[in-house]
Amino acid sequence: MEAAVLRTACLRLVANLAEILAVGEALERALALLQAGDVVAIPTETVYGLAGDATNGVAVARIFEAKGRPRFNPLIAHVADRAMADRIAGFDPLSAKLAEAFWPGPLTLVLPQRADNGIHPLVTAGLDTIALRMPRGFGGELIARLGRPLAAPSANSSGRISGTTAQAVAADLGDRIKLVVDGGATPVGLESTILKVENGKLRLLRPGGIGAEEIEAVAGAKLLRGAGGIEAPGMLASHYAPGAAMRLNIQRIGSGEALLAFGPKRAEGWQDAVAMRNLSEAGDLREAAANLFAYMQALDRVGAATIAVEPIPFEGLGEAINDRLARAAAPRDNTA
Ligand code: TXA
Ligand code: MG
């Protein structure tokens, strides 16, 4: 055995850290843990999820416990296919059209729950609606094998940045969970877009991995924004908090600041940044979304008191990127 491998194995034993298994070899172990009511961190196309059987109250309680998340925050239930979704919730025609267009993928639909759908009430925090999503790849396969939906919030401690690599997840939650399934860096890099149909109108509850324009093109109507009848207590102002303070839309960098850049043109004084990451040299918002959380974490690790962020346009995935940055910059709320 190589020294590095041996060292990791020893560390895991001593510190009781999570095992990291590649997607190709993790399915049976993940299944066994989930069947036993335990939680597993899994890759999805958006971010890593901390998954547990959505019909098992103990498993769901373990998710909250591992994240240190306030109980009033409802979770997304992940399904393998439309048939599973239909057993859990009722679809109006517009929601059905969106599911048809975007599933599997980074779209979550909030829908009225069916009676006796087996979902544990802790998943929905007692609401009569439920957030459903059909993920791509390993998650879908795992859910199909389990035959039951998985509740899965992003795999990070409450109030911290969502994990987009198995290593980031293990560093954050590794002493509290047994298994992290490694599927590499998540391709989208931002959580799913959350939508809800209200009286035939479509409301954006959380901007995310699918841009508003793309959704509007399928729906044939404009999205409503803002709180409305929103029950998304997860939208606490400070939610994606790095340790450093964040300063957004900067034109000039201050002394001692780290720089989160975007595009080919630099803010004034950029040479003085204590560290820099560029979300996308080419100014590509999709690339920027995929890099966002990992780069915020990387700059945070440098230890600068403030991360200064260059302006990012609001179109397409820019809306979700700006939303996450605003939350990261918001005054810290230690209940989040
Ligand atoms: O991409 C994603 O969506 C990731 C991956 C793992 O699937 N999951 C994720 O879950 O971001 P979480 O728990 O971090 O965020 C779920 C969001 C919260 O803002 C929550 O308040 C909202 O969904 N939510 C859940 N159920 C809801 C409901 N019935 N009505 C309105 N909002 C709801
Ligand atoms: Mg989250």
Side-chain angles (χ1 to χ4, degrees):
M1 203 185 291
E2 273 181 50
V5 177
L6 190 62
R7 197 172 151 267
T8 313
C10 291
L11 269 177
R12 193 185 299 138
L13 281 175
V14 173
N16 213 2
L17 292 181
E19 187 177 4
I20 301 181
L21 287 178
V23 280
E25 51 183 12
L27 195 62
E28 301 304 326
R29 173 91 176 113
L31 259 181
L33 285 167
L34 292 169
Q35 277 158 349
D38 218 325
V39 298
V40 177
I42 60 167
T44 84
E45 71 275 53
T46 57
V47 297
Y48 277 72
L50 183 60
D53 180 348
T55 67
N56 179 338
V58 172
V60 180
R62 284 199 173 120
I63 295 174
F64 288 111
E65 190 181 31
K67 282 185 68 91
R69 167 181 275 204
R71 301 264 154 140
F72 50 73
N73 198 354
L75 306 177
I76 296 172
H78 297 69
V79 295
D81 48 41
R82 245 319 277 281
M84 189 182 274
D86 284 325
R87 289 194 292 275
I88 299 171
F91 282 71
D92 60 276
L94 183 50
S95 296
K97 192 171 173 186
L98 292 165
E100 179 66 36
F102 295 111
W103 279 1
L107 173 71
T108 294
L109 293 167
V110 173
L111 301 161
Q113 291 203 67
R114 285 194 192 290
D116 303 318
N117 60 10
I119 299 290
H120 195 277
L122 202 48
V123 173
T124 56
L127 295 170
D128 52 13
T129 56
I130 185 162
L132 287 186
R133 174 162 115 75
M134 189 194 298
R136 278 192 205 121
F138 180 84
E141 204 183 326
L142 183 64
I143 297 160
R145 280 287 304 279
L146 185 68
R148 290 195 289 275
L150 286 178
S154 50
N156 53 276
S157 308
S158 188
R160 309 303 297 186
I161 293 170
S162 302
T164 56
T165 63
Q167 290 67 32
V169 173
D172 183 359
L173 300 174
D175 59 348
R176 279 169 269 165
I177 63 178
K178 295 187 183 125
L179 176 64
V180 180
V181 180
D182 188 353
T186 57
V188 177
L190 284 174
E191 298 84 348
S192 59
T193 300
I194 306 184
L195 297 174
K196 184 184 183 190
V197 175
E198 292 171 348
N199 307 319
K201 297 232 162 43
L202 197 53
R203 186 174 293 278
L204 179 67
L205 297 188
R206 177 177 75 182
I210 302 176
E213 299 84 345
E214 244 185 291
I215 293 160
E216 286 170 342
V218 169
K222 283 266 173 210
L223 291 180
L224 303 176
R225 287 181 171 76
I230 184 176
E231 329 86 4
M235 307 307 281
L236 293 164
S238 165
H239 192 78
Y240 297 89
M246 307 276 298
R247 204 163 65 83
L248 309 185
N249 281 317
I250 60 128
Q251 303 300 330
R252 178 163 225 308
I253 186 146
S255 89
E257 291 182 330
L259 178 62
L260 188 58
F262 175 79
K265 227 177 116 247
R266 289 293 61 74
E268 245 179 273
W270 66 273
Q271 300 89 336
D272 300 331
V274 297
M276 178 171 87
R277 288 281 189 291
N278 193 332
L279 290 169
S280 170
E281 300 269 0
D284 179 315
L285 289 164
R286 205 155 265 173
E287 183 184 11
N291 288 330
L292 180 67
F293 291 136
Y295 285 7
M296 268 165 49
Q297 280 165 334
L299 291 179
D300 208 18
R301 278 197 297 271
V302 172
T306 304
I307 299 172
V309 188
E310 290 180 355
I312 293 166
F314 271 81
E315 77 247 18
L317 293 189
E319 181 173 5
I321 296 172
N322 277 294
D323 171 80
R324 302 306 187 273
L325 287 169
R327 284 171 205 287
R332 300 302 146 80
D333 170 352
N334 53 23
T335 65

